Amino acid sequence: MRLANKTALITGGTSGIGLATARLFVAEGARVAVTGRNESTFAAVQTDLGEKALVLKGDVRSMDDMRAVATQIQESFGGLDVVFANAGHAFPSPIDKVNNDLYNEIMDINVKGTVVTLQAVLPQLREGASFIMNTSFTAQTGKHGISLTAAAKAALRSLARSWSFEFLGRKIRFNAIAPGAIDTPLVSKWGISDEEVHQLKSELAEFIPLGHLGRAKDIAFAALYLASDESSYVVGTELVVDGGASQL
Ligand SMILES: NC(=O)c1ccc[n+]([C@@H]2O[C@H](COP(=O)([O-])OP(=O)(O)OC[C@H]3O[C@@H](n4cnc5c(N)ncnc54)[C@H](OP(=O)(O)O)[C@@H]3O)[C@@H](O)[C@H]2O)c1
C-alpha cells in the first residue's frame, strides 16, 4: 500500500500505459481519476478499475474540459497528491508530410496538453504533490520519421526542470519518465493493418538491447516510484525505462 491515503489523476488513463498505471495505483491504495476522450471505452475502464475510481471525459488540450475534471476531483477527492500527465500520442512526421494541422496536433496533445493539465489542477495540488510527465526515449536518441513527437517530448523534459524550480515553494516535485518502445494500442491508432503493426513492433524490438518491447506495467512501476514518498528526494529528473535503447 505505497499510495495509501493518496489521490491521483492520470490523464489518458483509459488505455495502454495510463490504464496499467491506474490499475497499479488502485492496488497500492490510491483513489484514482483517469481521463480520456473516447467515451465508448469508459464502462469497461470503470469495471476494470472498480467503482471507487473516477473515469472522466476530458481532452487535455481544452482548458474548459480540464477545469471540469479538476472540479469533479475536488468534489470527490478534495485535492490531489499525484498527477501523471500521460495523455499523448506519437505521430509519424517525415518532414515532407508536416503541415500546419499535423504540427499543431503533435505539439498540442503532448506539450499544450501538459501545460493545460498543470494549470487546471494547480488549485487542487497539495503541498508535497508529485507531478509526473510522460516523455520518450526518442527525445534523447532521435528517431527517423518521428522528429516532431521526439521534439515535443524534449520540450516536456525541459518543462520538468523549469517547473521544479518554479514550484519549490509549494514543495511540488516534477519528474519525467522516458519510456522506450512499449507494447500498447498506440501504433494501431495510425490506421495501419494488424500485420503492419506486428511488423513494426518486430522491427523496433531489433534495436532494443533487451530484445523485446516493454510492457505498459514496466512504466507503471516507474510511475509508482515517482508517485510515492520513496522518491521524495527526487526532483527534476527523467527516469529512462527503455530496455537500454537510449543507454547502450
Ligand atoms: N507506447 C510507446 O511505445 C510509448 C513510448 C514513449 C512514450 N509514450 C507515451 O506514453 C503515453 C501513453 O501512450 P500509450 O502507448 O499508452 O498510448 P495509448 O494506449 O494510445 O493511450 C493513450 C491514452 O491517451 C488518451 N489521449 C490521447 N489524446 C488525448 C487527449 N488529447 N486528451 C485526453 N486524452 C488523450 C487516450 O484516450 P482517448 O483516445 O480516449 O482520448 C488514451 O487513454 C503517451 O504520452 C505516449 O506518447 C508511449
Side-chain angles (χ1 to χ4, degrees), residues 4-22:
N5 304 318
K6 290 196 187 284
T7 58
L9 164 65
I10 300 173
T11 64
T14 56
S15 174
I17 291 168
L19 181 56
T21 305

Side-chain angles (χ1 to χ4, degrees), residues 27-95:
E28 292 289 340
R31 298 172 70 195
V32 176
V34 296
T35 68
R37 294 165 303 172
N38 181 359
E39 286 180 278
S40 70
T41 64
F42 286 14
V45 171
Q46 187 76 70
T47 304
D48 190 330
L49 296 179
E51 282 310 309
K52 284 187 182 163
L54 295 180
V55 184
L56 304 174
K57 186 171 165 60
D59 187 325
V60 286
R61 297 168 295 185
S62 159
M63 184 57 85
D64 287 348
D65 280 14
M66 293 311 292
R67 284 213 173 106
V69 165
T71 299
Q72 291 172 83
I73 287 172
Q74 182 66 38
E75 286 167 2
S76 299
F77 295 170
L80 274 174
D81 302 296
V82 179
V83 176
F84 185 23
N86 162 76
H89 193 54
F91 298 86
S93 56
I95 201 67

Side-chain angles (χ1 to χ4, degrees), residues 160-184:
R161 286 193 175 100
S162 296
W163 288 341
S164 292
F165 281 114
E166 199 167 328
F167 290 93
L168 281 175
R170 284 179 62 177
K171 297 188 170 58
I172 301 170
R173 296 184 296 116
F174 290 82
N175 290 288
I177 299 172
I182 306 298
D183 195 1
T184 72

Side-chain angles (χ1 to χ4, degrees), residues 53-134:
L54 295 180
V55 184
L56 304 174
K57 186 171 165 60
D59 187 325
V60 286
R61 297 168 295 185
S62 159
M63 184 57 85
D64 287 348
D65 280 14
M66 293 311 292
R67 284 213 173 106
V69 165
T71 299
Q72 291 172 83
I73 287 172
Q74 182 66 38
E75 286 167 2
S76 299
F77 295 170
L80 274 174
D81 302 296
V82 179
V83 176
F84 185 23
N86 162 76
H89 193 54
F91 298 86
S93 56
I95 201 67
D96 57 329
K97 296 280 190 304
V98 174
N99 56 30
N100 202 44
D101 288 348
L102 181 60
Y103 179 90
N104 287 340
E105 181 98 18
I106 293 171
M107 295 299 167
D108 283 358
I109 287 185
N110 291 294
V111 185
K112 181 180 173 187
T114 302
V115 174
V116 168
T117 298
L118 175 62
Q119 288 184 315
V121 302
L122 259 180
Q124 278 68 46
L125 285 182
R126 295 194 173 111
E127 186 170 301
S130 170
F131 191 102
I132 305 160
M133 284 121 103
N134 199 337

